[in-house]
């Protein structure tokens, strides 16, 4: 489950108290239609000054400016030592460093170890899921976990396109089959009246990939960005639209 605080979604998961999170919604900003109104994406055609104003408003709830990635549906992970900006996941062990993922149907995944010493955030569309972006994120987090810290990693699946709205073609199913990775057969449901078309469950696919690398405490996964139009931007639904953000940081506040 997820609760709403100050107009944001607050994930409910078994993270330590030092781990802080926010998920923005589409309301409460200054952008005009079709980006109305709390659009945080600077690459979608919105007026730059409106995006900056929305980001400035978001900043008032955060301890630092977020790390805004250029997401390209790949599998690269930005780490404290590389700090890539063109990547689809980011990890940190630095207090008050804010990690951010922007989405509008793709799946945002937030991570922490149970000691709260390392965090991660990943952008997982079907291409990234298939190619291993979640596994790569867990790998890079593990490298940052000190020897005496708790290495158990937990994950929260943020708002994404739901299993009743995510229609895909044969090419998507083929991609998962060709990659040679295991996935639940129920993650792809044939649409009887549309040969070669399937309803895909991005949440089920993500859980499967996470479990394959030992992440078995997985929370979230109950939203649908397409059908919950009042709350979320959806590229599949609207085409030209904004982006909301899922953010996580390690707080050093006492």
């Amino acid at each position: 489950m997820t609760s709403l605080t100050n107009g944001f979604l607050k994930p409910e998961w078994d993270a330590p108290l030092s781990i802080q999170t926010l998920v923005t919604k589409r309301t409460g900003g200054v952008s005009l239609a079709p980006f109305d109104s709390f659009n945080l994406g600077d690459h979608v055609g919105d007026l730059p000054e409106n995006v900056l104003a929305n980001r400035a408003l978001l900043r008032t709830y955060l301890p630092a400016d977020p790390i805004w990635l250029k997401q390209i549906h790949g599998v690269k992970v930005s780490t404290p030592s590389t700090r890539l900006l063109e990547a689809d996941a980011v990890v940190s062990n630095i207090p008050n460093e804010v990690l951010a993922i922007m989405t509008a149907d793709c799946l945002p995944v937030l991570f922490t170890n149970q000691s709260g010493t390392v965090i991660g955030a990943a952008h997982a569309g079907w291409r990234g899921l298939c190619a291993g972006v979640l596994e790569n994120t867990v790998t890079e987090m593990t490298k940052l976990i000190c020897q005496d810290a708790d290495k158990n990693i937990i994950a929260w699946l943020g708002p994404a396109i739901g299993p009743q709205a995510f229609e895909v073609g044969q090419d998507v199913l083929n991609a998962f089959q060709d990659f040679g990775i295991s996935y639940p057969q129920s993650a792809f449901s044939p649409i009887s009246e549309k040969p070669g078309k399937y309803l895909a469950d991005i949440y089920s696919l993500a859980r499967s990939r996470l479990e394959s690398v030992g992440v078995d405490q997985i929370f979230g996964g109950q939203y649908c960005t397409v059908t919950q139009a009042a709350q979320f931007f959806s590229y599949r639904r609207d085409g030209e639209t904004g982006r909301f953000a899922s953010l996580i940081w390690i707080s050093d506040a006492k």
Side-chain angles (χ1 to χ4, degrees), residues 20-197:
Q20 299 296 307
T21 56
L22 282 180
V23 180
T24 67
K25 300 176 76 178
R26 69 175 301 164
T27 56
V30 302
S31 294
L32 304 176
F35 311 105
D36 48 322
S37 64
F38 201 45
N39 167 49
L40 297 166
D42 61 359
H43 61 292
V44 296
D46 194 2
L47 294 174
E49 57 267 32
N50 287 346
V51 177
L52 289 174
N54 288 336
R55 289 187 176 188
L57 176 59
L58 175 63
R59 175 64 177 83
T60 64
Y61 294 89
L62 307 172
D65 290 326
I67 298 171
W68 297 110
L69 301 176
K70 180 182 179 182
Q71 300 166 189
I72 56 173
H73 295 273
V75 296
K76 288 183 179 179
V77 182
S78 177
T79 71
S81 61
T82 66
R83 205 40 88 215
L84 303 172
L85 293 183
E86 189 171 290
D88 283 270
V90 55
V91 299
S92 181
N93 58 356
I94 302 171
N96 293 327
E97 189 168 59
V98 181
L99 313 185
I101 294 295
M102 286 191 291
T103 54
D105 283 336
C106 290
L107 174 64
V109 183
L110 303 180
F111 299 84
T112 181
N113 67 327
Q114 290 186 326
S115 296
T117 59
V118 177
I119 55 173
H123 163 242
W126 73 262
R127 291 179 179 83
L129 278 175
C130 187
V133 68
L134 298 186
E135 295 94 316
N136 287 2
T137 307
V138 171
T139 295
E140 294 301 330
M141 286 182 65
T142 302
K143 292 177 183 178
L144 295 178
I145 297 175
C146 296
Q147 190 170 10
D148 59 345
D150 193 329
K151 292 180 171 57
N152 289 328
I153 292 174
I154 65 176
W156 181 78
L157 310 182
I161 186 170
Q164 299 305 311
F166 192 19
E167 182 178 316
V168 301
Q170 188 68 43
D171 59 321
V172 177
L173 176 58
N174 290 346
F176 278 86
Q177 292 175 336
D178 293 344
F179 246 88
I181 59 175
S182 62
Y183 61 88
Q185 296 301 309
S186 60
F188 292 94
S189 302
I191 302 174
S192 58
E193 66 275 17
K194 295 182 179 181
K197 297 291 185 180

Side-chain angles (χ1 to χ4, degrees), residues 164-240:
Q164 299 305 311
F166 192 19
E167 182 178 316
V168 301
Q170 188 68 43
D171 59 321
V172 177
L173 176 58
N174 290 346
F176 278 86
Q177 292 175 336
D178 293 344
F179 246 88
I181 59 175
S182 62
Y183 61 88
Q185 296 301 309
S186 60
F188 292 94
S189 302
I191 302 174
S192 58
E193 66 275 17
K194 295 182 179 181
K197 297 291 185 180
Y198 303 84
L199 287 175
D201 188 339
I202 201 168
Y203 292 123
S204 176
L205 291 168
R207 290 188 184 97
S208 174
R209 302 318 309 146
L210 290 168
E211 289 168 356
S212 75
V213 289
V215 179
D216 54 13
Q217 292 194 66
I218 306 169
F219 302 84
Q222 74 269 34
Y223 284 95
C224 178
T225 48
V226 173
T227 59
Q228 294 177 280
Q231 296 189 67
F232 305 115
F233 296 111
S234 168
Y235 182 80
R236 177 68 66 104
R237 182 188 63 235
D238 298 327
E240 190 177 22

